[in-house]
Amino acid sequence: MKIKLLNKIAACGTDEFGAGYEVGENVTGENAVMVRSAAMHDMEFGAELEAIARAGAGVNNIPLDRCAEQGIVVFNTPGANANGVKELAVAALLLSSRNIVDGINWANSLTEDVAKSVEKGKSKFAGCEIKGKTLGVIGLGAIGGLVANAARELGMKVVGCDPYMTVNAAWKLSRGVHSATNYEEIYKTADYITLHVPATPQTKNMINAETLAMMKDGVRIINLSRADLVNAEDMKAAIESGKVAKYVTDFPTEETVNCPGIITIPHLGASTEESEDNCAVMAAHELIDYLENGNITNSVNYPAVSMPRSGECRLVVLHKNQPEMLTKITSVLSSDGVNIENMASRSKGDYACALLDCANKATEAQLSDIAAIDGVVRVLVK
């Protein structure tokens, strides 16, 4: 198996690939790709490519729809960098409150009578405390949940909203986190708002002139998720009017750098040694399990599906999520006397995956017949 690296990946992750794997930046004819931030939208994918693993949570640098159409399973590593981002979110809360950045820059500009000048001028950088204030958390997944819990420990009132929150995520939340019924409730009640949702067509520019108008005067907004969530021009107008006291973003753009009221952090959310190691190891495990067993965990374009191996041959059939697909697939095998010992099937949106463990190997003709079924995207033997 050949694993191509598009970015520098922590060695503790690449070391997970044992004998039988070739791993490196110069690999060609790759079966899988490991990537962090490299842009893949303009890349052509070879016929051998089966999977892409993003060592991180965001996948907007990968053409998900095209990958799904070509039967390329895309993985990410949710939660692996959660603690690193949570800690930066806590720092962002303080940066947005205490005028620390401007104060440091001013202190560094002093050349004479420094101590005297500090005592005379420090009042210009006075801020407020976060204790007792209300934090609105939009998105309560692996990162948002940790931020909500940390804010409670710091004495903040916390209100969160996540229409897609899982039961597992709900169990991990502090009992003191209030559940909002919609984002509008957060916009109207929070002194601080922090965003922890993916960048999608639905979330693009979710913070805009209309939603900003709903917020309290002097609200402080933190965005460690993606730049696209916030309309930069509307944000700058809100800061100029006083509606927004401070905006902290981990995604500097031409529109946000060197702007009064905006603190731009150079995408440091997951830039810790621990986060990079965790992401690399998780991504490697996901690729190994898929390449060797066809099991899918943490895919963003295909469903999660896995089962213990049995039988002599495992077939992985990636297909469109449409009626009678399993019947057509199993009919091909049964008509030629192939006994299916075990099977698992799951769907996600427009696509589905079926794992079939067979007592005997499927022939090339049978594989071709399955691949020819209308709606079948790809057939792999594991």
Side-chain angles (χ1 to χ4, degrees):
M1 291 288 182
K2 297 182 177 182
I3 313 296
K4 186 177 184 67
L5 309 180
L6 294 186
N7 296 103
K8 182 180 178 181
I9 304 295
C12 60
T14 56
D15 288 347
E16 293 295 304
F17 297 101
Y21 285 92
E22 179 185 353
V23 184
E25 296 180 1
N26 298 320
V27 166
T28 59
E30 60 271 13
N31 303 105
V33 165
M34 294 185 78
V35 62
R36 291 180 62 198
S37 58
M40 300 186 68
H41 286 277
D42 295 331
M43 291 181 60
E44 294 293 327
F45 301 135
E48 300 88 355
L49 185 62
E50 299 180 18
I52 298 170
R54 160 78 163 94
V59 290
N60 58 329
N61 57 321
I62 303 171
L64 301 182
D65 292 341
R66 179 156 64 94
C67 287
E69 292 168 1
Q70 294 181 228
I72 300 168
V73 178
V74 179
F75 298 91
N76 69 345
T77 57
N81 61 9
N83 188 71
V85 180
K86 176 208 74 176
E87 291 185 1
L88 188 64
V90 172
L93 283 171
L94 300 174
L95 289 173
S96 71
S97 298
R98 299 296 298 274
N99 214 359
I100 296 168
V101 174
D102 290 341
I104 291 173
N105 291 337
W106 172 75
N108 285 331
S109 72
L110 302 176
T111 57
E112 298 179 357
D113 296 324
V114 173
K116 184 177 180 179
S117 296
V118 166
E119 291 306 314
K120 183 178 180 180
K122 68 180 183 180
S123 61
K124 295 184 295 183
F125 307 102
C128 62
E129 299 181 12
I130 63 175
K131 184 178 180 180
K133 305 298 194 307
T134 298
L135 172 66
V137 183
I138 295 180
L140 291 166
I143 296 170
L146 289 180
V147 173
N149 291 345
R152 285 292 300 156
E153 292 293 325
L154 292 169
M156 300 189 78
K157 301 172 185 176
V158 180
V159 55
C161 183
D162 190 337
Y164 310 103
M165 184 168 60
T166 65
V167 173
N168 187 48
W171 275 109
K172 295 178 181 178
L173 274 182
S174 165
R175 293 176 61 185
V177 176
H178 171 72
S179 177
T181 55
N182 51 51
Y183 296 155
E184 186 174 333
E185 182 179 344
I186 289 179
Y187 297 149
K188 291 181 177 180
T189 61
D191 302 302
Y192 298 76
I193 295 174
T194 182
L195 307 174
H196 299 285
V197 296
T200 67
Q202 291 72 37
T203 61
K204 184 175 182 179
N205 289 329
M206 66 183 296
I207 303 302
N208 54 48
E210 181 179 354
T211 54
L212 287 165
M214 301 180 192
M215 299 178 190
K216 287 184 174 183
D217 291 344
V219 66
R220 292 168 164 84
I221 299 174
I222 297 164
N223 176 16
L224 306 185
S225 293
R226 282 293 180 268
D228 285 351
L229 302 181
V230 176
N231 183 296
E233 294 305 318
D234 290 351
M235 176 61 71
K236 288 194 288 187
I239 290 172
E240 187 175 350
S241 72
K243 168 61 74 171
V244 175
K246 198 76 74 174
Y247 173 49
V248 183
T249 176
D250 201 24
F251 300 92
T253 65
E254 288 80 2
E255 293 80 16
T256 57
V257 293
N258 297 315
C259 290
I262 299 179
I263 298 173
T264 52
I265 302 171
H267 200 181
L268 299 181
S271 294
T272 67
E273 294 178 6
E274 295 85 353
S275 289
E276 292 179 6
D277 288 353
N278 293 340
C279 288
V281 170
M282 182 183 289
H285 288 171
E286 291 165 350
L287 288 179
I288 291 168
D289 200 18
Y290 181 67
L291 294 174
E292 296 183 5
N293 302 304
N295 293 327
I296 299 177
T297 305
N298 296 326
S299 172
V300 294
N301 64 345
Y302 274 93
V305 57
S306 62
M307 67 178 183
R309 293 200 68 137
S310 61
E312 186 176 350
C313 169
R314 169 166 290 187
L315 300 184
V316 181
V317 184
L318 303 171
H319 61 88
K320 296 290 184 65
N321 183 19
Q322 57 193 44
E324 299 184 2
M325 290 301 299
L326 288 178
T327 300
K328 295 175 182 178
I329 294 167
T330 56
S331 293
V332 170
L333 297 172
S334 60
S335 64
D336 286 339
V338 176
N339 183 44
I340 300 172
E341 293 192 348
N342 202 3
M343 181 173 66
S345 177
R346 295 290 185 275
S347 63
K348 180 178 183 177
D350 294 333
Y351 292 90
C353 177
L355 304 180
L356 302 99
D357 281 350
C358 305
N360 45 314
K361 291 184 178 180
T363 65
E364 289 297 326
Q366 291 163 344
L367 296 176
S368 296
D369 288 343
I370 294 173
I373 296 172
D374 184 39
V376 168
V377 178
R378 193 170 194 174
V379 183
L380 299 169
V381 181
K382 300 296 180 185

